[in-house]
Amino acid sequence: MKDFIKLLRRFLPPYKGKVALNFLFNLLAAIFGAFSFGLLSPVLGILFGTDEAVRERIPLELSADAIENNLSYFITWIIDTYGQSSALIYIGTFIILMVLLKVGFTYLASFVMIFIRNGVVRDIRSKIYRKMLTLSLGFFNDEKKGDIMARMTGDVLEIENSVMNSLDMLFKNPVLILISLTYMLYTSWTLTIFVFVMLPIAGFVIGTVGKSLKRQSRKGQNKQGDILSIIDEDISGLRVIKAFTAEKKAIERFERENENYRLIMNKLMSRYFLAHPMSELLGTTVIVMVLWYGGNLILSGDAGALSPQQFIVYLVFFYNIINPAKAFSTALYSVEKGLASMERIDKILGQESTIVDKPDAVSKEEFNNSIEFRHVGFSYVREKVLDDINLTIKKGQTIALVGKSGSGKTTLVDLLPRFWDSTEGGIYIDSTDIRDIKLHDLRSLMGNVNQEPILFNETFFNNIAFGIENVTEEAVIQAAKIANAHEFIINTENGYQTNIGDRGDKLSGGQKQRVSIARAILKNPPILILDEATSALDTESEKLVQEALENLMKNRTSLVIAHRLSTIKNADVICVLHKGQIVEMGTHQQLLEQNGRYKKLHQMQVF
């Protein structure tokens, strides 16, 4: 319950007004409901002659004696005026009116709760998504993609179905219970104390089962994340699975995890469906005990004992507690199940982003002179990837990075837009440490074209204009023309408004890359990062993409990672990386003359 209260404190403050309205409507519904039930005792007492008729009214005041006296006076007046039979009709109509007000306010309370429940779920989804976009790349390297998706979908859905759907019961039922208990204490405090002794015992049993439900639910959500990870991996690697005829192995792996999930959910649901029968059994047991104890009070004939009609009304109020208490216990089961999902979501929300703006970060909108890597080093946990990198890139220069796979080329360029932060030394733009520049401004100075184009399930227009506000169609078309993409785009069904499919799967590799280049051209950044942009293309596509890249690189400062050395012969400086260090540096001709690693790489690619 403590965790549930923390959850409400985190997400309910924006809805304080609606929470107050919900409480007010529930309170009014409980009062009118209690009044309609409470009216039964004096009506039955006067009709059956067990209570004396009251024919003198006392001044109206907020006291139990005054309200009880005047209510009895009102009932007596109706009986004297209209007779007992007609009085029943009038009093019955009055009770129906009270119940009408009760159910009306109950509906209003539930209506207000709709906005609270759906609003909180929306806020949780938004928080997760916003947090996900602020986290560093390292977090996603350590986590399974399927598990992250499970938290954003399945766990949020679980919170919606369990916690949020239970809010109405959790807000309404305590009010009903409190009003009913107040009347019960007023009617017979000894019998009510007996009830107080019985109910906590039932609550303890329900709470014990609820805790085990939370543990089992957490296991189920974790296993669901594993299953989604397997599905994601197998869909992405379907070509490999078929090529190596590994369908049987893939099926066995999936079926093993799927069976484990079934066993976990069997245990979970067996406990969950225990909630209703257990609460009903415990409720019935408590009612029988109350009947026994209350019946003895009446049969004892003590002066302070309950009258028969009071005991009937007392049982009505007690029953009015039992149903909300059972619903309350069921809601507690659901809440415990949902809180397990909230714990998994908090693993994302609680993550600290390591790449953030300093409090005194400066703005920078232009690149004027140079980029400097000063004694830069970087390590992934314990593994050192870059060591003592010193490099100066003047404005307008093209710097090429070459070397074996794993030599640190991609890590080096990833440090510039602060996808990672260097663990040693510093990187400076115009003599300003990039860690002192606002992240938005720093990344606005750069454009990226990667080996694998990152495209979205959107139109050509929206993919090219991605991240840029107020873009005209003419500007998008011009960027596409420079990137050699205009011709194949206009030949599609709807031109620039054609949807390119999931990850651009409707396009060839060369077409994807040219759309990606058009996006970088439209952004018009002063600094370009090209990460093996032509390595995965056929000869014809490579020629078109290389031409587009040359158009893109004009009058810009470029960092180019290349495996095909023929594409970077004209670079101003070529840096050869080996085991995280720059071991050679110079122009294409200078490096050939050095007869070192670059020449060996060059000879391997010369036929």
Side-chain angles (χ1 to χ4, degrees), residues 276-414:
H276 179 72
M278 179 179 287
S279 61
E280 186 164 342
L281 174 64
L282 292 171
T284 303
T285 303
V286 173
I287 287 176
V288 169
M289 297 296 290
V290 169
L291 281 171
W292 168 77
Y293 190 80
N296 282 331
L297 285 178
I298 294 171
L299 294 174
S300 67
D302 293 339
L306 286 168
S307 63
Q309 71 271 11
Q310 284 178 318
F311 186 55
I312 291 172
V313 176
Y314 186 95
L315 288 177
V316 170
F317 271 94
F318 181 67
Y319 187 76
N320 202 36
I321 284 180
I322 291 298
N323 276 337
K326 286 197 292 185
F328 193 74
S329 67
T330 304
L332 284 178
Y333 277 99
S334 294
V335 166
E336 289 291 348
K337 194 165 174 276
L339 287 176
S341 293
M342 195 66 223
E343 283 182 7
R344 283 169 43 81
I345 287 172
D346 276 335
K347 287 184 180 179
I348 294 179
L349 296 180
Q351 284 292 324
E352 292 292 333
S353 181
T354 55
I355 311 295
V356 294
D357 284 334
K358 287 184 177 180
D360 56 347
V362 297
S363 296
K364 186 167 181 59
E365 298 179 358
E366 295 180 350
F367 170 54
N368 300 313
N369 299 311
S370 65
I371 301 168
E372 294 179 73
F373 290 76
R374 301 179 187 172
H375 303 289
V376 170
F378 180 77
S379 301
Y380 290 111
V381 190
R382 295 179 181 176
E383 182 186 357
K384 195 153 194 175
V385 181
L386 296 174
D387 183 23
D388 198 29
I389 299 292
N390 290 283
L391 176 63
T392 299
I393 307 167
K394 294 179 181 178
K395 184 177 180 179
Q397 281 190 325
T398 296
I399 305 297
L401 304 174
V402 299
K404 293 180 179 179
S405 295
S407 59
K409 304 183 299 296
T410 300
T411 303
L412 181 60
V413 297
D414 280 351

Side-chain angles (χ1 to χ4, degrees), residues 529-597:
I529 298 173
L530 309 177
D531 189 352
E532 302 181 26
T534 62
S535 66
L537 304 178
D538 58 78
T539 305
E540 184 179 352
S541 296
E542 181 186 356
K543 185 178 178 182
L544 290 168
V545 171
Q546 188 62 37
E547 185 181 331
L549 287 172
E550 288 171 2
N551 293 333
L552 174 62
M553 292 164 65
K554 286 177 182 176
N555 303 318
R556 289 185 172 87
T557 305
S558 304
L559 280 80
V560 183
I561 296 176
H563 275 163
R564 297 184 187 181
L565 302 184
S566 59
T567 63
I568 48 95
K569 281 184 179 180
N570 298 323
D572 296 301
V573 179
I574 299 172
C575 299
V576 182
L577 274 80
H578 180 66
K579 293 184 178 180
Q581 294 182 320
I582 297 177
V583 293
E584 294 177 12
M585 188 185 302
T587 63
H588 172 71
Q589 192 59 42
Q590 288 171 342
L591 291 174
L592 288 179
E593 291 172 0
Q594 288 181 21
N595 200 26
R597 289 187 176 277

Side-chain angles (χ1 to χ4, degrees), residues 4-149:
F4 175 68
I5 293 170
K6 286 181 182 177
L7 177 66
L8 298 186
R9 284 179 178 172
R10 286 170 63 186
F11 295 104
L12 281 188
Y15 307 95
K16 285 186 289 188
K18 288 184 172 60
V19 170
L21 275 177
N22 178 269
F23 177 78
L24 176 63
F25 291 147
N26 278 323
L27 180 63
L28 291 172
I31 289 172
F32 282 113
F35 190 74
S36 62
F37 292 138
L39 195 63
L40 290 173
S41 179
V43 168
L44 294 174
I46 294 171
L47 280 174
F48 297 152
T50 56
D51 287 345
E52 292 184 5
V54 177
R55 292 184 172 83
E56 290 186 11
R57 190 172 57 181
I58 61 177
L60 189 63
E61 58 183 46
L62 289 177
S63 67
D65 290 338
I67 293 172
E68 188 175 353
N69 182 89
N70 290 335
L71 191 59
S72 298
Y73 170 81
F74 173 69
I75 294 167
T76 302
W77 177 81
I78 291 176
I79 293 172
D80 290 345
T81 306
Y82 301 102
Q84 289 184 329
S85 181
S86 298
L88 283 173
I89 297 174
Y90 283 110
I91 292 168
T93 304
F94 183 75
I95 291 174
I96 290 172
L97 178 62
M98 292 296 101
V99 173
L100 178 63
L101 288 170
K102 173 199 169 185
V103 296
F105 282 116
T106 300
Y107 169 74
L108 288 174
S110 299
F111 181 76
V112 170
M113 184 55 67
I114 292 172
F115 299 96
I116 300 172
R117 182 180 65 215
N118 294 334
V120 169
V121 171
R122 178 204 61 193
D123 294 345
I124 292 174
R125 281 201 185 99
S126 295
K127 277 181 177 289
I128 298 171
Y129 186 76
R130 288 171 182 268
K131 185 68 177 182
M132 184 186 70
L133 294 184
T134 65
L135 291 172
S136 63
L137 297 179
F139 172 79
F140 299 98
N141 289 345
D142 297 334
E143 295 286 334
K144 296 177 183 176
K145 190 197 303 183
D147 194 47
I148 293 172
M149 291 171 61

